[in-house]
Amino acid sequence: MPTVGEALVARLKAHGVSHVFGIPGVHTVELYRGLASSGIAHITPRHEQGAGFMADGYARASGKPGVAFVITGPGLTNTLTPMAQARADSVPMLVVSGVNKTHTLGKGLGCLHELPDQLAMSRTVSIKAEQVENSESLIPAIDAAFEGMAAERGGPYHIEIPIDVARHEHSKVGKAPELPEPMAAEAGQIAKLAEALMSAQKVVVLAGGGAKRAEDMLGQLAEKLDAPVVLTVNARGMMHRHPLGIPASPSLNAVRAVIAEADMVLAVGTEFGPTDYDMYALGNMPEMKRLARIDICAEQLARHEAEMTLKADAGAALAALLDAVSDKPIADGAERAELARKAAWAELSDDYRLMCGLLDVIRDARPGSLIVGDSTQPIYAGNLYYDHDMAGGWFNAATGFGALGYGIPAGIGAQFAQPDRSVVVIAGDGGAQFTLPELMTAAQENLPITFIIWNNGGYGEIELTMENADIDVVGCDPKPPLFGHVAASCGMPYTKVAAEPEALREALMPKAGQSGPVMIEIDAPFIAS
């Protein structure tokens, strides 16, 4: 008979899991029984935070849940930050951890890696955290996690398995159940919303990350309604260069103006988070008339007042709306969008326009690439204004939870999810140092990732914030390593360039016989935004 550990691996395989990111330890060795022969690839990061961020990047790039294996105690605490980032950005992630023997839990016996209540701690960031109490409860716990990640808003799920239970015998695993179909909106709600959209004269659509896998339907609906589409950070890449697309932040005055001019606003898969809609911390949201919302999460729909709310999968709802609305006469939708784009671009500082230009260089040199970012100045600039050429191809940790150290490991996870695509990671010298050892994971796996380090010699944005608040600057100058030496120690080619488009374009050109990861350092003394 298989053990619980073997049954775990078999059930993950049955749910289509192809990659697991984890660091084995004495509390998880039984979870690895059968993994080597399962066909599931195991990737070993250098830190559990890296495992969690890799699972996140894998999920965003693949559309499937990312899976991480971590030990009890420090393994799980190290993974809490990636879990919180995944929750903030609705990223489906399954974290499977060990935990001490059942009879020791909560007794404070001083066991290795002991926590007072590991499950309670995990529940502070998990959508659901569950302990496998016996062999019979394993399969229901796994199936419930995958069903939740398929049917509801994405986020982290945690399953912990006591080390004694992991060794128990388990009966035949069986076939995994069919996952639920995307949630559709009620026909009556679709008809009511379609009628309202058709009666409005100037519709604006706000698209969030929940809509990024429904690009074609979103574009078709926008064309039918002659409606400009404002793309939040996690929706960037949709409607690339489309006349109705506005790839700019709704925190910008120009974008707020086009939203305020609308007589109806349709928001699809966006939670109205301040890091998208109030980046400058003004304490207010864009003015919206007759707001209608489509979101898969009832809790999100309840957080902002709206005239109409539809609890539904974005793709299913947009498909139904396409059938319910007819073409409006083309009026001024494209003109409104163009004016908003031009005015938004004019709002940016010269330095931010330079950085956005560098992003355009990367996109044009590596078309159809995944650009994965950390919290660093070029990413802040791109989050304000950048038109990527692939839906879901631009994502970073500079919104929502905002965890530093995200970019390098998330890019590794994304490369495993999309091995035939180019992956470019953009990290600052400060954020890169949070997870710098993960460069060796990319080197060991020979992943063709381009790591771009924006080196402005410290925490430039925080320094500026302290100065603007009339606070003596302290702690903003962590000395960066010599990145050329770091690259050499990892065995990867390295180039250093100035923050100038032609120099970056030259550095991005493929080199004959080159494979595996490369590093490009951009020498960029702090640029005030």
Side-chain angles (χ1 to χ4, degrees), residues 233-496:
V233 170
N234 284 324
R236 294 293 173 80
M238 302 176 73
M239 300 179 66
H240 176 56
R241 292 178 177 165
H242 193 290
L244 292 170
I246 304 175
S249 171
S251 295
L252 293 170
N253 289 329
V255 182
R256 288 185 165 210
V258 78
I259 296 171
E261 291 168 1
D263 59 0
M264 184 166 185
V265 176
L266 173 62
V268 185
T270 177
E271 67 176 7
F272 291 124
T275 49
D276 265 315
Y277 290 86
D278 187 21
M279 185 181 292
Y280 298 112
L282 301 174
N284 58 52
M285 297 286 287
E287 179 187 347
M288 290 176 256
K289 304 180 188 75
R290 297 192 67 198
L291 174 63
R293 295 189 67 193
I294 299 170
D295 200 286
I296 201 168
C297 179
E299 292 178 355
Q300 285 294 340
L301 290 173
R303 287 175 183 146
H304 297 277
E305 185 176 348
E307 182 176 303
M308 281 180 276
T309 59
L310 281 72
K311 184 179 185 296
D313 171 78
L318 290 172
L321 275 175
L322 274 174
D323 290 337
V325 301
S326 54
D327 290 356
K328 282 187 173 185
I330 295 177
D332 63 348
E335 180 182 353
R336 285 186 286 147
E338 183 178 11
L339 289 173
R341 289 192 298 268
K342 288 181 176 179
W345 181 255
E347 264 185 74
L348 302 181
S349 68
D350 290 342
D351 293 329
Y352 263 30
R353 284 198 289 268
L354 166 65
M355 287 184 269
C356 291
L358 295 175
L359 296 175
D360 289 344
V361 168
I362 297 170
R363 178 199 61 211
D364 295 342
R366 303 286 175 83
S369 64
L370 301 173
I371 298 183
V372 184
D374 218 311
S375 290
T376 188
Q377 286 190 306
I379 297 299
Y380 302 148
N383 284 349
L384 281 174
Y385 194 117
Y386 171 62
D387 190 11
H388 196 52
D389 63 353
M390 172 192 164
W394 168 268
F395 59 87
N396 55 76
T399 61
F401 194 62
L404 275 169
Y406 174 86
I408 291 172
I412 291 170
Q415 188 71 83
F416 278 110
Q418 298 276 358
D420 296 328
R421 283 195 184 276
S422 173
V423 173
V424 178
V425 170
I426 302 175
D429 59 289
Q433 292 182 72
F434 278 54
T435 48
L436 202 60
E438 301 305 346
L439 291 173
M440 269 310 301
T441 308
Q444 181 176 348
E445 300 289 343
N446 199 38
L447 301 177
I449 301 172
T450 300
F451 295 100
I452 296 179
I453 307 296
W454 180 266
N455 190 348
N456 59 19
Y459 301 138
E461 286 288 342
I462 306 304
E463 179 179 340
L464 179 64
T465 301
M466 294 176 81
E467 289 174 349
N468 289 341
D470 197 25
I471 295 171
D472 291 338
V473 176
V474 176
C476 294
D477 57 350
K479 185 176 181 179
L482 298 173
F483 283 103
H485 290 195
V486 171
S489 72
C490 297
M492 64 177 68
Y494 164 86
T495 306
K496 186 173 184 177

Side-chain angles (χ1 to χ4, degrees), residues 199-225:
S199 65
Q201 299 302 307
K202 287 190 174 183
V203 177
V204 164
V205 177
L206 308 178
K212 68 183 179 183
R213 301 193 186 279
E215 178 181 23
D216 290 345
M217 288 177 284
L218 181 73
Q220 291 175 47
L221 182 65
E223 290 166 2
K224 277 193 168 188
L225 300 174

Side-chain angles (χ1 to χ4, degrees), residues 9-343:
V9 172
R11 199 59 163 189
L12 293 177
K13 180 76 171 179
H15 277 290
V17 173
S18 58
H19 294 76
V20 167
F21 304 91
I23 301 175
V26 295
H27 286 72
T28 55
V29 290
E30 283 296 330
L31 306 186
Y32 282 76
R33 190 181 293 277
L35 184 62
S37 60
S38 69
I40 297 175
H42 182 273
I43 294 89
T44 306
R46 274 42 180 177
H47 190 280
E48 288 93 356
Q49 182 167 283
F53 284 144
M54 287 178 195
D56 176 301
Y58 178 90
R60 297 197 204 213
S62 69
K64 302 190 303 180
V67 179
F69 278 11
V70 299
I71 64 167
T72 187
L76 187 65
T77 57
N78 286 338
T79 315
L80 289 177
T81 294
M83 292 170 70
Q85 183 73 50
R87 178 151 190 161
D89 286 344
S90 306
V91 177
M93 176 193 295
L94 175 61
V95 175
V96 182
S97 80
V99 73
N100 284 304
K101 292 180 179 179
T102 308
H103 72 273
T104 71
L105 298 179
K107 295 184 179 179
L109 300 175
C111 297
L112 180 65
H113 302 327
E114 183 178 13
L115 285 166
D117 191 340
Q118 177 172 284
L119 210 59
M121 181 188 65
S122 172
R123 284 178 177 141
T124 63
V125 293
S126 300
I127 302 295
K128 184 178 182 181
E130 187 172 356
Q131 184 186 110
V132 175
E133 298 177 350
N134 50 54
S135 60
E136 290 75 23
S137 61
L138 172 72
I139 300 303
I142 297 172
D143 290 351
F146 277 90
E147 181 177 351
M149 289 185 285
E152 300 292 337
R153 180 189 181 200
Y157 285 70
H158 172 218
I159 295 173
E160 68 172 23
I161 305 176
I163 56 177
D164 53 327
V165 174
R167 300 189 188 102
H168 289 177
E169 289 186 345
H170 193 283
S171 58
K172 188 175 180 180
V173 174
K175 184 180 178 182
E178 294 290 331
L179 294 178
E181 291 294 320
M183 183 184 299
E186 296 179 4
Q189 290 182 307
I190 290 292
K192 182 180 177 182
L193 177 55
E195 182 180 358
L197 291 168
M198 291 304 296
S199 65
Q201 299 302 307
K202 287 190 174 183
V203 177
V204 164
V205 177
L206 308 178
K212 68 183 179 183
R213 301 193 186 279
E215 178 181 23
D216 290 345
M217 288 177 284
L218 181 73
Q220 291 175 47
L221 182 65
E223 290 166 2
K224 277 193 168 188
L225 300 174
D226 191 40
V229 180
V230 177
L231 301 161
T232 65
V233 170
N234 284 324
R236 294 293 173 80
M238 302 176 73
M239 300 179 66
H240 176 56
R241 292 178 177 165
H242 193 290
L244 292 170
I246 304 175
S249 171
S251 295
L252 293 170
N253 289 329
V255 182
R256 288 185 165 210
V258 78
I259 296 171
E261 291 168 1
D263 59 0
M264 184 166 185
V265 176
L266 173 62
V268 185
T270 177
E271 67 176 7
F272 291 124
T275 49
D276 265 315
Y277 290 86
D278 187 21
M279 185 181 292
Y280 298 112
L282 301 174
N284 58 52
M285 297 286 287
E287 179 187 347
M288 290 176 256
K289 304 180 188 75
R290 297 192 67 198
L291 174 63
R293 295 189 67 193
I294 299 170
D295 200 286
I296 201 168
C297 179
E299 292 178 355
Q300 285 294 340
L301 290 173
R303 287 175 183 146
H304 297 277
E305 185 176 348
E307 182 176 303
M308 281 180 276
T309 59
L310 281 72
K311 184 179 185 296
D313 171 78
L318 290 172
L321 275 175
L322 274 174
D323 290 337
V325 301
S326 54
D327 290 356
K328 282 187 173 185
I330 295 177
D332 63 348
E335 180 182 353
R336 285 186 286 147
E338 183 178 11
L339 289 173
R341 289 192 298 268
K342 288 181 176 179

